Amino acid sequence: MSGHSSLRRSGGILLHPTSLPGPGIGDLGPSARRFADVVRDMGLSWWQMLPIGPTGYADSPYQSPSTFAGNPLLISPGDLAEDGLIAPAAADERFDPRRVDFGAVIPWKRSLLDSATAAFDPAKTNGAFDEFMDEHNTTWLDDFSVFTALKRAHSLRPWWEWDAGLRHRLPADIRAIRESLSESIRTVRVEQYLFDRGFSRLRRECTERGIGLIGDIPIFVAHDSADVWANPSLFHLDTAGRPTVVAGVPPDYFSDTGQRWGNPLYDWDRHVETGFTWWTQRMDRVFKLFDLVRIDHFRGFESSWHIPVAEKTAVNGEWVTAPGRELFTHLRSTFGDLPVIAEDLGLITPAVERLRDESDLPGMKVLQFGFGTESAHDLDHFRDHVVAYTGTHDNDTARGWFESTEPARVTERETALRLLGSDGTDFAWDLIEAVFASVAAVAVTPLQDVLSLGSEARMNTPAVETGNWRWRFEWDQLPPELVSRMNATVRRTGRV
């Protein structure tokens, strides 16, 4: 495991597995393995994903009921059929190939998974299921499977609305639940095993092709999660289990009222008292899944924006310092060099930069932000220890950005055309070429920019709650000549 000082000059693609072709929603099966071939044929070294945990509110991968678990929606029906856990015909359901219709896909996939888990026989796994249980049960799997079974039994109501005995995890109440919901608890454990097996297979196949996987974890966790339910003392909660302050960011580029994310905030004093046990377990899990990990909102390790829970927007809050230096010193002593990318976008202070540099972590640059006045993201600010992007999942696509009619865009567009030496006819690729030719250690582009797609292909619009995370592509959008064009760019810019 190695930190950024050993990041070699290379290139990558950003694509969440849900955006892959496949029945209803992209998954970790045949389509993902085919995409690994495409990444290799493009000459790229990295495939970056969004968080792969179960999705929560508004289908966001950044609001998960567990920071440890995998998303069962990513289990491949094709692989389940191959294993004889479902009938082959069951995997062939037809949905919109260009959008994920979560409302239709979730119940369909749920019924497939219920059939597969009922047919699953641990005895046929040659001990692999027992090994999986032994490795994960005490750290997170037991809490998560009981939590999920309880959620399903309570019609998905949040945990702080359950009876006091379950809310506070009183031993007698939890014992009774283990008996009454034993089938449901077993189902969750089998789903997690099937997810882990599918992900491990994809990871192996990527490694064989010389491709590293880049993961992504949000710094904060969702309030309605197994993490908070099982570890309430690690968060700022009242006696009823509700947050006293919530996370977000003050007004910024994306929003005049800031962003009120609503996540509970860490009681860092408790984390220090426990020797950062929870963080150690969290990073151990993600380091075993990925070769490199982006931590979203890195600045929260230096200080985080505490919004009183009664506030409806993020305008009124205060910065409260966090023990980031102690945490990363501890993680380095545990894991050695940390394969972490610090997502250092937004309001970054000298103290945040110091923490990032002392922790030997590469930061991020997003060229789409680089054409405003005095931008820290213009090419002159790129360094050889950053991971640079044309845009991220939170940005519009390059073409969408270029075609936007927002007043501010007019001057930014003129600046972009001048600095890139572009005539605007192939703007997404002009942006790709610039990022890949830059001094950045790693250059990454979302697949949407390779495909020169407009705003209809945007993955997420921050501060907008609905309609996100749905974009998908089809194989006919990715012809061999486009793969060759990317490969030529990678070679020409010395990123092979």
Side-chain angles (χ1 to χ4, degrees), residues 267-477:
D267 183 339
W268 281 113
D269 291 344
R270 287 288 301 138
H271 285 268
V272 171
E273 285 167 23
T274 61
F276 298 112
T277 300
W278 181 85
W279 271 102
T280 307
Q281 291 171 344
R282 186 184 192 192
M283 298 312 291
D284 182 58
R285 170 74 170 147
V286 78
F287 289 156
K288 283 176 176 162
L289 290 167
F290 291 99
D291 301 286
L292 191 57
V293 181
R294 183 189 101 122
I295 303 184
D296 197 41
H297 194 61
F298 177 81
R299 71 106 55 242
F301 291 114
E302 190 279 321
S303 56
S304 49
W305 188 244
H306 283 222
I307 306 162
V309 75
E311 293 285 340
K312 294 288 178 274
T313 73
V315 173
N316 297 314
E318 61 171 339
W319 290 108
V320 177
T321 55
R325 181 176 285 108
E326 294 92 318
L327 171 62
F328 281 96
T329 299
H330 168 75
L331 292 175
R332 277 204 309 278
S333 73
T334 306
F335 298 108
D337 284 345
L338 300 175
V340 165
I341 301 168
E343 187 272 290
D344 53 353
L345 308 177
L347 183 64
I348 300 304
T349 62
V352 179
E353 292 175 347
R354 260 196 313 279
L355 176 61
R356 178 198 65 206
D357 294 343
E358 285 171 4
S359 306
D360 195 29
L361 306 177
M364 284 175 56
K365 294 293 180 191
V366 181
L367 187 53
Q368 204 183 104
F369 292 146
F371 307 115
T373 51
E374 296 179 48
S375 172
H377 293 270
D378 62 31
L379 287 165
D380 289 343
H381 283 87
F382 280 30
R383 298 289 179 265
D384 62 4
H385 61 274
V386 301
V387 180
Y389 297 78
T390 54
T392 74
H393 65 279
D394 281 336
N395 292 87
D396 202 343
T397 64
R399 199 182 113 203
W401 180 91
F402 184 75
E403 292 174 350
S404 165
T405 55
E406 285 176 33
R409 193 56 37 78
V410 179
T411 50
E412 289 181 2
R413 192 160 47 225
E414 286 171 5
T415 304
L417 293 174
R418 187 179 77 252
L419 292 178
L420 299 177
S422 167
D423 64 4
T425 55
D426 198 7
F427 183 77
W429 273 89
D430 293 334
L431 211 58
I432 291 171
E433 297 274 355
V435 168
F436 275 69
S438 76
V439 298
V442 181
V444 180
T445 180
L447 181 65
Q448 289 96 313
D449 290 349
V450 176
L451 304 180
S452 297
L453 297 175
S455 298
E456 77 285 349
R458 184 171 186 159
M459 194 63 170
N460 179 50
T461 306
V464 173
E465 290 191 351
T466 56
N468 295 314
W469 320 111
R470 296 182 177 185
W471 175 76
R472 305 174 71 200
F473 80 96
E474 294 181 272
W475 290 118
D476 63 9
Q477 292 176 276

Side-chain angles (χ1 to χ4, degrees), residues 72-373:
L73 292 178
L74 293 176
I75 296 170
S76 160
D79 289 353
L80 294 178
E82 193 181 291
D83 292 334
L85 295 174
I86 60 172
D92 287 341
E93 192 67 25
R94 293 270 70 85
F95 293 91
D96 183 345
R98 298 267 172 117
R99 310 288 290 167
V100 180
D101 179 356
F102 286 101
V105 164
I106 290 172
W108 170 73
K109 200 103 186 217
R110 181 80 266 136
S111 68
L112 283 192
L113 290 169
D114 286 345
S115 300
T117 53
F120 177 81
D121 180 0
K124 292 182 178 171
T125 67
N126 294 325
F129 180 75
D130 294 333
E131 272 176 40
F132 175 74
M133 291 289 293
D134 290 344
E135 183 179 354
H136 300 290
N137 215 36
T138 52
T139 49
W140 65 270
L141 183 57
D142 184 54
D143 288 329
F144 176 68
S145 42
V146 173
F147 174 83
T148 306
L150 278 166
K151 285 279 288 181
R152 290 173 184 169
H154 284 86
S155 305
L156 303 184
R157 286 216 320 282
W159 63 263
W160 54 91
E161 293 181 6
W162 302 345
D163 292 343
L166 297 174
R167 196 165 68 231
H168 297 301
R169 297 162 54 86
L170 300 183
D173 293 68
I174 297 297
R175 255 196 317 276
I177 284 299
R178 285 187 191 285
E179 286 183 27
S180 63
L181 297 181
S182 60
E183 259 322 292
S184 188
I185 291 169
R186 175 194 176 274
T187 295
V188 178
R189 290 175 170 167
V190 173
E191 282 175 3
Q192 288 304 308
Y193 168 75
L194 293 171
F195 171 89
D196 216 68
R197 194 182 60 172
F199 193 87
S200 299
R201 178 177 176 183
L202 178 62
R203 171 93 185 269
R204 269 195 315 277
E205 300 220 5
C206 284
T207 303
E208 285 164 10
R209 291 160 174 75
I211 299 161
L213 290 180
I214 303 179
D216 188 341
I217 60 168
I219 182 174
F220 301 119
V221 296
H223 182 203
D224 193 15
S225 65
D227 308 296
V228 181
W229 176 68
N231 307 281
S233 67
L234 297 179
F235 301 88
H236 288 293
L237 305 177
D238 64 20
T239 51
R242 295 172 187 271
T244 52
V245 284
V246 294
V249 285
D252 65 4
Y253 174 94
F254 286 117
S255 171
D256 295 337
T257 54
Q259 296 178 49
R260 184 189 185 282
W261 298 329
N263 306 71
L265 285 151
Y266 296 115
D267 183 339
W268 281 113
D269 291 344
R270 287 288 301 138
H271 285 268
V272 171
E273 285 167 23
T274 61
F276 298 112
T277 300
W278 181 85
W279 271 102
T280 307
Q281 291 171 344
R282 186 184 192 192
M283 298 312 291
D284 182 58
R285 170 74 170 147
V286 78
F287 289 156
K288 283 176 176 162
L289 290 167
F290 291 99
D291 301 286
L292 191 57
V293 181
R294 183 189 101 122
I295 303 184
D296 197 41
H297 194 61
F298 177 81
R299 71 106 55 242
F301 291 114
E302 190 279 321
S303 56
S304 49
W305 188 244
H306 283 222
I307 306 162
V309 75
E311 293 285 340
K312 294 288 178 274
T313 73
V315 173
N316 297 314
E318 61 171 339
W319 290 108
V320 177
T321 55
R325 181 176 285 108
E326 294 92 318
L327 171 62
F328 281 96
T329 299
H330 168 75
L331 292 175
R332 277 204 309 278
S333 73
T334 306
F335 298 108
D337 284 345
L338 300 175
V340 165
I341 301 168
E343 187 272 290
D344 53 353
L345 308 177
L347 183 64
I348 300 304
T349 62
V352 179
E353 292 175 347
R354 260 196 313 279
L355 176 61
R356 178 198 65 206
D357 294 343
E358 285 171 4
S359 306
D360 195 29
L361 306 177
M364 284 175 56
K365 294 293 180 191
V366 181
L367 187 53
Q368 204 183 104
F369 292 146
F371 307 115
T373 51

Side-chain angles (χ1 to χ4, degrees), residues 10-30:
S10 53
I13 196 106
L14 171 59
L15 181 82
H16 197 47
T18 58
S19 297
L20 287 159
I25 186 169
D27 58 49
L28 301 171

